[in-house]
Amino acid sequence: MNFTLKIWRQKDAKSKGAFETYKVTDISADTSFLEMLDILNNNLVHEGKEPVAFDHDCREGICGMCSLHINGLAHGPGQAATTCQIYMRKFKDGDTITIEPWRSAAFPVIKDLVVNRGAYDQILQAGGYVSVRTNSVPDANAIPISKIDADESMDAAACIGCGACAATCKNGSAMLFVAARVSSLAKLPQGRVEGARRAKAMVAKMDELGFGNCTNTGACQAECPKGISIAHIARLNREFLAAKIQD
């Protein structure tokens, strides 16, 4: 398979970027998207040119580092999949593929397709954890948690913090990410102790970092590689309002 790639190139955060066009040929349909970029970079190195910078780590859909906008879609043309889980059989032979970094004011471009997602780390540091003493891990039946609550908590905890939600939202909102982190702890007794402080602190940090408001369009849920439900945003709103009333 042969492809034409339109890739965003940007030397650094202060430089003005632009799209550059490349050709890749004889690509197997079973090649992953990141492997295809590896092949392109190998060709560029042999030609004495600067390879394309892009993020990657586990390449198993776990870490969320492979954050790319492909043909206008976060992570590319796949449902519940990260970029590293996209294979070239998803495209047609001869296709032109446009590859961009996340487009969000809170995720500034570092170089080419690499963005700084440290804003999410700062939100987590504001309250996305349990700091109270909860002692050792109890036996499975020692703390009565319903299966429904446990399942909801685990579904929310599946968030990998890739940033697709904010990059997809037309307002650049991080509500789905924050909601997933708040919800994963709000459904557990260990997390309830600091529930009010957590909701207020994480929302405040999100606003401070320049993320926008929720649009209620559901684009974040549609593009989330882990299928995090926007129902968690409703829980975040309830947690936040309850915390403000307690003040």
Side-chain angles (χ1 to χ4, degrees):
M1 301 178 75
N2 303 324
F3 301 100
T4 299
L5 307 177
K6 293 180 63 178
I7 301 178
W8 183 262
R9 302 302 306 266
Q10 188 170 333
K11 184 178 179 180
D12 52 45
K14 296 181 180 180
S15 301
K16 184 177 180 180
F19 283 103
E20 294 187 12
T21 302
Y22 304 94
K23 301 281 187 179
V24 287
T25 59
D26 300 324
I27 302 296
S28 168
D30 295 326
T31 301
S32 76
F33 199 87
L34 295 190
E35 289 171 340
M36 181 274 296
L37 290 179
D38 288 336
I39 293 171
L40 168 65
N41 278 345
N42 184 65
N43 294 339
L44 292 176
V45 169
H46 282 290
E47 294 170 6
K49 298 178 181 178
E50 181 77 14
V52 177
F54 64 95
D55 261 335
H56 60 93
D57 192 0
C58 73
R59 299 202 178 198
E60 295 179 344
I62 298 172
C63 69
M65 291 291 289
C66 54
S67 45
L68 298 178
H69 248 115
I70 304 170
N71 288 343
L73 298 173
H75 287 298
Q79 290 293 319
T82 52
T83 301
C84 62
Q85 296 174 301
I86 302 298
Y87 290 83
M88 299 314 294
R89 55 178 172 267
K90 282 283 188 180
F91 304 90
K92 296 179 181 179
D93 186 23
D95 272 357
T96 296
I97 305 173
T98 302
I99 309 170
E100 304 172 74
W102 282 165
R103 299 297 191 183
S104 174
F107 299 147
V109 174
I110 296 174
K111 183 177 182 180
D112 295 340
L113 303 175
V114 180
V115 300
N116 182 353
R117 293 180 301 164
Y120 271 12
D121 295 328
Q122 293 183 55
I123 293 174
L124 285 178
Q125 291 164 7
Y129 52 84
V130 173
S131 65
V132 297
R133 184 177 179 84
T134 58
N135 296 321
S136 60
V137 178
D139 292 333
N141 296 322
I143 298 180
I145 304 174
S146 71
K147 187 177 186 304
I148 294 176
D149 287 344
D151 286 347
E152 285 190 35
S153 176
M154 289 301 294
D155 288 344
C159 171
I160 56 178
C162 66
C165 50
T168 298
C169 178
K170 61 184 180 182
N171 284 352
S173 173
M175 283 289 282
L176 189 63
F177 168 74
V178 176
R181 297 307 188 187
V182 167
S183 193
S184 67
L185 295 173
K187 300 298 291 184
L188 302 177
Q190 296 93 332
R192 289 297 335 148
V193 180
E194 300 174 292
R197 182 197 63 79
R198 177 180 301 111
K200 290 188 294 183
M202 293 183 75
V203 169
K205 180 58 70 172
M206 175 183 67
D207 292 340
E208 175 191 326
L209 293 172
F211 288 100
N213 295 322
C214 176
T215 63
N216 295 314
T217 60
C220 53
Q221 175 180 283
E223 298 292 349
C224 175
K226 298 303 177 181
I228 305 297
S229 172
I230 57 175
H232 293 296
I233 296 180
R235 179 171 295 109
L236 170 62
N237 289 333
R238 292 195 297 271
E239 291 283 325
F240 182 76
L241 288 174
K244 297 298 285 186
I245 291 173
Q246 291 175 21
D247 284 347

